[in-house]
Amino acid sequence: MAVIDRSMSSPETSAASSPSSGFLSSHAFEQSARQHAAQRRVRKWLDRLARFAVSLGGMATIVSVIGILVFLVMEMLPLFFAPTLTLTQSLSIDPPAASPRSVAGGIDQYREVAYVFDRGTLSFYRMATGESLEFDTSALPPADAVAALARASGPEYRTRYGLAGRDGRIWPVSVQLTPVYRDDRRTVMPGVEVADAFPAIPLSSRQHPSPPQIVNLAYQALADGHVTAALLSSGEVWVTRAEESGGLLSEGELEIVHGQIPALPQAPITSLCLDSMGESLVLGTDNGILQHWDIRDAAQPALGGTYATGQGSSVTALRYLIGDRTLVVGTADGNVTTWMLMRDHSRPGGVRLEPVRTFMPHQAAVTHIVASDRDKGFITGDEAGGVLLHHSTSHQTLLQLPPTGHPTAALDFAPKADGILQVDRTGTLRSFALHNPHPEITFATLFLPVLYEGYERPEHIWQSSSGSDDFEPKFGLMPLIFGTLKGTIYAMLFAVPFAVAGAIYTSMFMHPNLRATVKPVLEIMAALPSVVLGFLAGLWLAPLLAQIFPAVVGMMVFMPLAVLAAALCWQWLPVTVKNRGNRGLELAALALVLGSVIAVCLALNTPLECWWFGCDFKRWLNDVLGLPYDQRNALVIGFAMGFAVIPIIFSISEDSLSNVPKHLIAGSLALGATPWQTLTRLVLVSASPGIFSAIMIGFGRAIGETMIVLMATGNTPIMEWNLFNGFRTLSANIAVEMPEAPHGGTLYRVLFLSAVLLFVFTFVINTGAEIIRQRLRAKYSQY
């Protein structure tokens, strides 16, 4: 062994064992160790930096999402804030007359100048200083000659009054509140204009030895004249229409037409109300009866209907809301109700009155009703000095003014509905600033059926604007929520079968070389801009579908049959031929079959329409099935939005199916299971969490889609499952309405509420999908 040991030694071994060689090896080791330590420190810092960057990005994403939600909620919350009322000024003036029928008050749009009409005496007051303003009163009739006065209705005539004289004449008076700008300062200057008086009752009645006096008056100014209804002390009512003559020789002269409504001995008339057009008159009686008269022909008033208010209490106040579709009725026992005009062509005037809402009652008889010039709000005052603010559409009493303890003599709504003026019998004039920007919004008006003016029953309606100022906004969100779900469901019904079936075939049966081409192509489809798809769907697909609809129905019938027939024929082919299918022969054969069916159906489009739909499929759908056909409908959206969702569902589903362990599939096949059994009992079960996630992600993509539904539907907010009409979604509604929504207005904030609902829908859907996915994953993890 010693010889062997010496023979195995070498010069290199000897050199390595020398002291100098050991020193070099130790130095190299230390240098390498230091390099590795430095690299580890660098990697450690890089890992920390990457961890920090990832954490920062994740936190930034979470904070951004929460910030967006907080911003949406902050913009939406003011919809549900309670209105506020602030006393801005209180003045002491001369006590007005005791009768509310001869006292009226008003205030300008800037709430700087108020006025009080006390019979024939008109006084102006500057609210900031309380000083009484001077103006020319020479045109006004003597105060002791005025028996009653009445104010015209309508925003354009809110400062027009009719003064009834004791001699039976009417003086039309226009109160002037003109803003004047000097040195960049605004000053409201008062004034008054009085037109020529005209008779409210015929000459024969005025020439009676003891002529009856006018005790109550309803007055309405028109563009070319006046309409009055005068209640006389004898109990009868005279209707007078005074309009300018259209003749060349008599231009500017008034043509007077009188008509009489007989007295009601058993039920004396206590209140009168004219609409803003001077075409209808409502009378209230001492026993709670309403009479609706058609006075378009003033010489022959026609009774349109008699209605009982239900309590038998005297009707003490009447007023139409803006638009003349809703009548507010106040009674001696303090009740306040609204009656709505419904279409009824069997009655004179073509309408009938129906009670619709009851509001918070007063503690005393209602003496004043003043309608807002901006919306369906109104204020009511009683004999005890109580004043309540109501809103008709939302059916709520919003607030109560601080009581004075004295009867209300005059009451007015500011022109911008941002203030209230009250004058009591002791001469106290109070001005209030009102902040009530969203009176029409409640949970009920947003999500429950509402009875709107012009409708026979409560309905879900979305209509945010109109061409008239007296429009009643309709902010029902249910048609938009319904439209969102409708479009999403129809799109998913089209997309899910194609996407999941395509993913199954691509993952389990397609040749790998062909799969490497097909999958990227379908994934690239997801990058198509939705605006392009919407453009094609709205301007190309919708008109094309309207032309070839019978052929499309034929495709839906014959294509599944053709696929089944092709599959059966494929089974009968020799094995050597079928084995070539791994290279895509079966796809080519199937494409040939489907293409042939499509070509035949298109060629037979007209015969199919005659065979199945009586040569007019639109009329057939409407007459037989009751389904009207609109060109831009849910069927078009199903195709277009389904086309946009298919790539997402396909890609995720195919990845889930491909990630099922291959040894499980091989084991199933080795145990004798067929490929179809392996698919249905193993692969689909194992991949079900991923497939479910794919469907939910596609659902979230469809529910938030904007441009396709915006461009390819009629954007009609209706609640029908009809496949052949349009709809409007929440997202499309935001895109349509936001450019026209005034900042901070009701529509603006309701659109933000719509965005919050979309956010909540998406969050709930994604959260629920994740919970279900985790449970499915835990359940089938043993596979």
Side-chain angles (χ1 to χ4, degrees):
M1 292 297 292
V3 175
I4 294 174
D5 291 339
R6 284 192 296 271
S7 65
M8 292 178 65
S9 63
S10 63
E12 292 79 7
T13 306
S14 301
S17 61
S18 64
S20 60
S21 175
F23 173 78
L24 291 174
S25 298
S26 175
H27 178 72
F29 177 77
E30 292 177 357
Q31 185 177 5
S32 175
R34 286 195 297 271
Q35 291 177 351
H36 284 293
Q39 291 175 356
R40 285 195 298 271
R41 287 193 296 271
V42 171
R43 285 196 298 268
K44 184 177 180 180
W45 280 105
L46 289 176
D47 289 343
R48 290 180 178 177
L49 182 62
R51 188 180 300 110
F52 175 77
V54 172
S55 301
L56 180 63
M59 292 299 297
T61 302
I62 295 174
V63 171
S64 299
V65 172
I66 294 176
I68 292 172
L69 177 60
V70 170
F71 173 73
L72 295 177
V73 172
M74 293 299 293
E75 290 294 322
M76 171 269 295
L77 277 180
L79 286 172
F80 305 100
F81 289 168
T84 59
L85 191 71
T86 305
L87 178 64
T88 57
Q89 191 67 31
S90 180
L91 306 177
S92 294
I93 63 174
D94 294 334
S99 174
R101 298 171 182 173
S102 59
V103 181
I107 194 168
D108 73 297
Q109 60 178 330
Y110 308 108
R111 294 186 285 113
E112 296 179 0
V113 174
Y115 64 89
V116 176
F117 237 134
D118 185 4
R119 290 191 175 92
T121 303
L122 178 61
S123 304
F124 290 90
Y125 304 93
R126 193 167 301 281
M127 299 306 298
T129 61
E131 63 176 316
S132 178
L133 303 179
E134 300 293 335
F135 68 101
D136 184 9
T137 62
S138 60
L140 289 171
D144 56 359
V146 178
L149 62 82
R151 183 179 189 172
S153 60
E156 65 272 30
Y157 301 121
R158 70 180 324 272
T159 58
R160 302 281 290 275
Y161 293 85
L163 275 61
R166 299 187 185 279
D167 59 356
R169 293 188 300 165
I170 302 295
W171 284 277
V173 177
S174 176
V175 177
Q176 306 293 317
L177 295 167
T178 307
V180 177
Y181 295 88
R182 296 174 182 171
D183 299 330
D184 296 331
R185 295 184 60 184
R186 181 185 63 238
T187 303
V188 177
M189 303 302 296
V192 64
E193 290 184 0
V194 181
D196 294 336
F198 62 91
I201 56 179
L203 181 61
S204 58
S205 296
R206 287 185 288 138
Q207 291 178 343
H208 194 274
S210 57
Q213 299 293 313
I214 298 177
V215 297
N216 200 352
L217 179 70
Y219 168 79
Q220 182 57 45
L222 303 177
D224 56 355
H226 319 272
V227 176
T228 63
L231 173 63
L232 306 185
S233 56
S234 59
E236 59 186 357
V237 175
W238 280 96
V239 176
T240 302
R241 182 176 296 272
E243 294 181 322
E244 293 185 2
S245 173
L248 295 177
L249 299 180
S250 59
E251 185 176 358
E253 296 182 2
L254 292 178
E255 291 185 356
I256 311 297
V257 178
H258 297 290
Q260 184 183 18
I261 297 177
L264 303 176
Q266 299 178 352
I269 296 173
T270 54
S271 55
L272 311 90
C273 179
L274 287 167
D275 68 347
S276 62
M277 301 297 292
E279 296 179 349
S280 69
L281 170 67
V282 179
L283 305 178
T285 68
D286 186 66
N287 61 350
I289 299 297
L290 297 178
Q291 288 190 342
H292 184 242
W293 292 81
D294 179 10
I295 59 170
R296 286 176 292 182
D297 183 1
Q300 296 180 343
L303 180 61
T306 300
Y307 313 91
T309 58
Q311 301 296 327
S313 181
S314 175
V315 178
T316 54
L318 296 169
R319 193 69 176 181
Y320 276 108
L321 298 185
I322 183 173
D324 299 329
R325 301 293 301 179
T326 299
L327 177 71
V328 184
V329 180
T331 60
D333 56 5
N335 288 328
V336 177
T337 58
T338 55
W339 295 61
M340 195 172 291
L341 294 176
M342 303 291 185
R343 295 185 182 91
D344 189 347
H345 297 292
S346 64
R347 298 172 179 263
V351 294
R352 70 180 187 277
L353 281 171
E354 285 192 5
V356 291
R357 299 181 179 101
T358 301
F359 295 85
M360 178 186 294
H362 286 262
Q363 300 301 317
V366 178
T367 55
H368 293 80
I369 300 175
V370 182
S372 169
D373 292 335
R374 292 297 184 94
D375 53 32
K376 301 300 179 178
F378 60 98
I379 52 178
T380 55
D382 60 37
E383 285 186 344
V387 177
L388 299 176
L389 172 64
H390 317 270
H391 194 272
S392 176
T393 304
S394 59
H395 191 192
Q396 56 179 339
T397 298
L398 297 166
L399 53 80
Q400 181 177 4
L401 270 66
T404 63
H406 303 286
T408 299
L411 199 61
D412 188 35
F413 230 141
K416 296 181 180 179
D418 58 353
I420 296 176
L421 180 75
Q422 182 190 22
V423 181
D424 65 22
R425 301 274 180 83
T426 64
T428 301
L429 185 151
R430 298 191 300 172
S431 176
F432 296 87
L434 174 65
H435 182 73
N436 185 29
H438 314 295
E440 58 275 280
I441 297 300
T442 62
F443 178 86
T445 57
L446 291 172
F447 300 106
L448 298 179
V450 177
L451 179 60
Y452 295 105
E453 295 178 349
Y455 290 81
E456 296 293 329
R457 63 188 62 87
E459 295 186 25
H460 293 286
I461 304 292
W462 172 272
Q463 186 181 1
S464 61
S465 60
S466 178
S468 61
D469 295 334
D470 55 14
F471 166 71
E472 183 179 26
K474 305 169 183 63
F475 293 116
L477 292 178
M478 290 306 297
L480 308 180
I481 297 173
F482 181 89
T484 302
L485 295 177
K486 177 181 177 180
T488 301
I489 290 172
Y490 283 140
M492 296 300 288
L493 287 176
F494 174 77
V496 170
F498 284 98
V500 175
I504 291 173
Y505 179 79
T506 303
S507 174
M508 295 295 298
F509 304 106
M510 186 177 287
H511 192 274
N513 294 336
L514 189 58
R515 180 168 65 247
T517 302
V518 170
K519 185 179 180 182
V521 171
L522 283 173
E523 290 177 343
I524 290 174
M525 288 170 52
L528 287 174
S530 60
V531 66
V532 174
L533 294 176
F535 177 81
L536 293 175
L539 299 183
W540 173 73
L541 180 59
L544 177 64
L545 187 61
Q547 296 176 0
I548 64 170
F549 179 80
V552 173
V553 175
M555 296 175 198
M556 293 180 181
V557 173
F558 296 120
M559 287 177 68
L561 299 177
V563 170
L564 290 176
L568 291 175
C569 293
W570 181 264
Q571 297 298 322
W572 296 336
L573 291 177
V575 176
T576 56
V577 176
K578 289 193 292 185
N579 287 339
R580 298 178 184 176
N582 293 332
R583 296 178 176 84
L585 180 60
E586 75 280 9
L587 279 182
L590 185 61
L592 179 62
V593 171
L594 295 180
S596 300
V597 173
I598 293 173
V600 171
C601 288
L602 290 175
L604 297 177
N605 181 61
T606 301
L608 288 176
E609 185 174 15
C610 291
W611 294 338
W612 291 346
F613 304 108
C615 297
D616 189 343
F617 77 91
K618 294 182 180 179
R619 179 181 297 177
W620 187 89
L621 289 174
N622 189 51
D623 295 343
V624 177
L625 301 181
L627 301 176
Y629 184 92
D630 297 331
Q631 187 181 90
R632 299 186 179 187
N633 52 47
L635 183 61
V636 176
I637 291 300
F639 290 149
M641 195 153 63
F643 186 83
V645 172
I646 282 176
I648 299 173
I649 301 177
F650 170 85
S651 179
I652 300 176
S653 299
E654 199 278 336
D655 289 340
S656 300
L657 293 165
S658 298
N659 288 333
V660 175
K662 301 300 181 183
H663 67 274
L664 295 178
I665 300 175
S668 174
L669 296 174
L671 291 174
T674 64
W676 183 254
Q677 291 174 327
T678 301
L679 170 67
T680 56
R681 301 183 183 182
L682 174 64
V683 177
L684 286 180
V685 172
S686 300
S688 59
I691 295 175
F692 182 79
S693 296
I695 294 174
M696 288 297 100
I697 292 174
F699 189 86
R701 165 74 170 82
I703 207 170
E705 176 57 46
T706 302
M707 295 310 299
I708 294 178
V709 294
L710 179 65
M711 303 176 70
T713 67
N715 282 312
T716 50
I718 55 179
M719 297 181 64
E720 295 180 6
W721 285 109
N722 181 8
L723 184 62
F724 308 116
N725 63 10
F727 55 90
R728 181 181 289 194
T729 65
L730 287 167
S731 56
N733 187 67
I734 294 173
V736 170
E737 302 277 4
M738 186 59 77
E740 306 296 331
H743 183 271
T746 301
L747 174 59
Y748 176 85
R749 300 198 185 279
V750 170
L751 294 179
F752 273 92
L753 175 60
S754 303
V756 171
L757 292 177
L758 274 177
F759 193 101
V760 171
F761 286 165
T762 305
F763 178 80
V764 170
I765 290 170
N766 291 340
T767 303
E770 181 62 20
I771 293 173
I772 296 175
R773 188 187 71 83
Q774 292 291 350
R775 291 184 177 180
L776 290 174
R777 185 176 181 180
K779 181 177 180 180
Y780 299 116
S781 59
Q782 64 267 25
Y783 291 100

